[in-house]
Amino acid sequence: MLIVGGGIAGLCSALYLQQSGWQVTIIDKNDMNDNCSYGNAGMIVPSHFIPMAAPGMLAKGIRWMLDKKSPFYIKPSFNLFLFKWGLNFLRHSTAKHVSTTAPFIKDLNVLGGEEYSRLKNEFNLEFPLEHKGILMLYKTKKTEDEQIALAQMAHDFGLNCTVLDHAGIQELEPGLKMSVTGGVHYLSDGHIDPAAFMKSLIQSVEQAGATIIRNAAVDKIEIKDSKISKVFVGSKEYSADKFIFATGAELTGTLKHAKVNIPVMPGKGYSFMTHEFGNKLQHPALLLDDKVSITPMGGSVRIGGTMELAGINDKINMNKVTGIAESVNHYYADVKIETPSPKDVWYGFRPCSPDGLPYLGRLKSLDNAVIAGGGGMMGVSCGPAFGKIVSELINESQLSMDINCFDPERFN
């Protein structure tokens, strides 16, 4: 078994496959110490059942583009791939797309949450796992109306959530002065420390006998008789019976070597840690009007945000980081966050599909290959679900849920 990609999807796939008796080799282009699975908000989000491609997102994106500190940015360029991705995004930003896909996105996130508990309690992985829920905080009447409607959908889906006014939110955060109209408390949600989880996951798969080949980028894929026979890293070749591709934001480039079209746009996000809350913050939160996440983590707080579509690059847009920092005070009136130094800013690339759905399933064109990725902002939430379902696909056992709408070849 060869897994290309050592992020959360690839490693969880390895762990579940090892449990069913497979010998696993993992290839990753980096050293696996700091990919997109490490520095994010660490949120487990059954509440996130609306795909990113949804009505109104185009108008919001255009408005945000005019603000240098806004949570969204597209780098202007004559990029045919970005143009096609954008057209597909626009085509899927419909109410029908949302209503059709929301139940399956919810199921995937619920499964991910259930499997996190299993990984901790049955697989004995060591990482902080909290079930305090997540607060969706808002300041405007428009966002309030949207969130109340979403909360009703969540109830219809069987999720546990409560709509709260300002007083209700303040009661949940007694040590902080809340400057909000209200919020929704999604008790179905949770959070982890993603870096601690990833370190424990790597240790577990290595102890179980996995071979991990680091700093090795696949640059050629050999196909024979409608199957992948080998992948190449420079002059080295690796063969296997089954191949799993879980290369995150680089899925498009990886699968081009097999002539498979899986469009993924890297969506850069930033985060940094702060001690300014002074251990007073009780609940993770999403600051909805500013698209910023707040997560208590390891005695401090991680603040994150921004969706920057500018390709894979190592530049830090400090205007966006400043916007993230300034947003906090809009919701927590007695907390003022200074813009961190660039050296203290983490960034990673979310793998974003044009319809807001992950890619999960077998390739019809290559019958020994499985794809797991494209989770966008839900990658950590869905990671264990990806691993469990990949194992079920490889072992040809009954699937834990319907994954038809996540067909990896739907854009071919």
Side-chain angles (χ1 to χ4, degrees):
M1 174 68 59
L2 184 66
I3 299 174
V4 183
I8 193 168
L11 286 167
C12 283
S13 297
L15 187 67
Y16 283 91
L17 286 164
Q18 287 174 318
Q19 290 291 314
S20 59
W22 287 89
Q23 179 62 43
V24 174
T25 297
I26 301 168
I27 296 176
D28 193 87
K29 70 173 296 184
N30 298 310
D31 61 10
M32 295 173 57
N33 288 324
D34 190 27
N35 59 32
C36 189
S37 306
Y38 280 79
N40 59 57
M43 292 180 173
I44 303 165
V45 283
S47 59
H48 283 38
F49 50 80
I50 301 298
M52 190 169 72
M57 284 303 297
L58 179 63
K60 286 181 181 179
I62 293 172
R63 186 170 67 251
W64 284 332
M65 283 288 288
L66 302 176
D67 180 357
K68 65 181 182 181
K69 295 182 181 178
S70 77
F72 181 74
Y73 173 71
I74 298 177
K75 181 180 180 181
S77 65
F78 294 102
N79 184 321
L80 182 59
F81 179 79
L82 175 60
F83 180 72
K84 290 181 177 179
W85 188 96
L87 283 180
N88 270 315
F89 183 90
L90 181 60
R91 182 166 62 88
H92 285 92
S93 296
T94 65
K96 181 180 179 181
H97 177 62
V98 170
S99 64
T100 301
T101 62
F104 302 102
I105 299 173
K106 184 269 298 183
D107 287 348
L108 191 64
N109 280 300
V110 168
L111 179 61
E114 293 170 349
E115 291 304 307
Y116 269 114
S117 295
R118 280 192 67 212
L119 291 176
K120 189 172 181 67
N121 299 323
E122 297 179 28
F123 288 63
N124 298 316
L125 268 65
E126 297 181 3
F127 62 98
L129 173 63
E130 299 273 358
H131 292 290
K132 293 182 177 181
I134 294 174
L135 298 178
M136 307 294 174
L137 302 178
Y138 43 77
K139 294 177 67 68
T140 66
K141 183 65 168 61
K142 183 176 185 298
T143 306
E144 179 182 28
D145 291 343
E146 292 171 351
Q147 292 305 308
I148 289 174
L150 285 176
Q152 183 57 57
M153 285 184 66
H155 276 298
D156 294 343
F157 284 154
L159 300 179
N160 186 1
C161 65
T162 304
V163 177
L164 300 169
D165 59 12
H166 174 270
I169 295 295
Q170 187 62 75
E171 186 176 349
L172 289 176
E173 293 291 354
L176 297 163
K177 183 179 180 182
M178 302 303 298
S179 178
V180 298
T181 301
V184 183
H185 188 195
Y186 279 90
L187 289 157
S188 54
D189 291 5
H191 71 282
I192 64 167
D193 180 330
F197 176 72
M198 291 296 290
K199 289 174 184 175
S200 182
L201 190 52
I202 291 170
Q203 183 180 40
S204 181
V205 298
E206 286 191 309
Q207 287 178 346
T211 299
I212 298 181
I213 303 166
R214 295 170 169 83
N215 301 306
V218 170
D219 52 21
K220 181 181 176 183
I221 297 175
E222 181 180 275
I223 298 169
K224 289 184 178 180
D225 301 323
S226 298
K227 291 184 177 182
I228 296 176
S229 57
K230 298 173 185 177
V231 301
F232 292 81
V233 177
S235 61
K236 295 182 179 179
E237 60 183 59
Y238 300 91
S239 59
D241 295 326
K242 306 283 186 180
F243 293 82
I244 297 161
F245 293 92
T247 50
E250 299 191 17
L251 264 176
T252 300
T254 304
L255 271 298
K256 271 185 178 179
H257 298 301
K259 295 181 173 59
V260 177
N261 176 38
I262 299 186
V264 169
M265 181 62 64
K268 184 189 282 185
Y270 301 106
S271 73
F272 56 90
M273 305 298 290
T274 180
H275 295 283
E276 292 300 317
F277 283 85
N279 292 320
K280 296 177 182 178
L281 184 70
Q282 298 298 309
H283 297 83
L286 290 174
L287 316 183
L288 296 177
D289 295 294
D290 293 82
K291 303 299 181 186
V292 167
S293 63
I294 307 284
T295 313
M297 196 176 293
S300 57
V301 173
R302 175 165 291 160
I303 302 173
T306 301
M307 176 65 77
E308 188 175 300
L309 305 181
I312 293 178
N313 63 80
D314 60 0
K315 296 179 180 178
I316 296 176
N317 186 331
M318 291 305 295
N319 285 326
K320 300 300 183 186
V321 177
T322 297
I324 294 169
E326 291 177 351
S327 295
V328 176
N329 185 242
H330 301 163
Y331 297 77
Y332 302 89
D334 48 359
V335 178
K336 183 172 177 57
I337 306 295
E338 299 294 334
T339 300
S341 167
K343 67 180 178 59
D344 295 322
V345 177
W346 176 92
Y347 63 87
F349 298 93
R350 309 176 189 93
C352 301
S353 68
D355 58 2
L357 304 179
Y359 299 107
L360 181 60
R362 296 188 186 92
L363 290 179
K364 299 179 183 68
S365 57
L366 298 168
D367 61 14
N368 66 337
V370 170
I371 308 300
M377 292 182 287
M378 305 178 299
V380 162
S381 183
C382 299
F386 282 172
K388 182 176 176 61
I389 291 172
V390 165
S391 176
E392 292 165 349
L393 288 166
I394 294 294
N395 291 313
E396 299 184 1
S397 57
Q398 183 174 349
L399 298 183
S400 297
M401 62 169 287
D402 184 344
I403 61 169
N404 285 329
C405 68
F406 306 142
D407 178 8
E409 292 178 293
R410 61 187 181 269
F411 291 105
N412 273 6

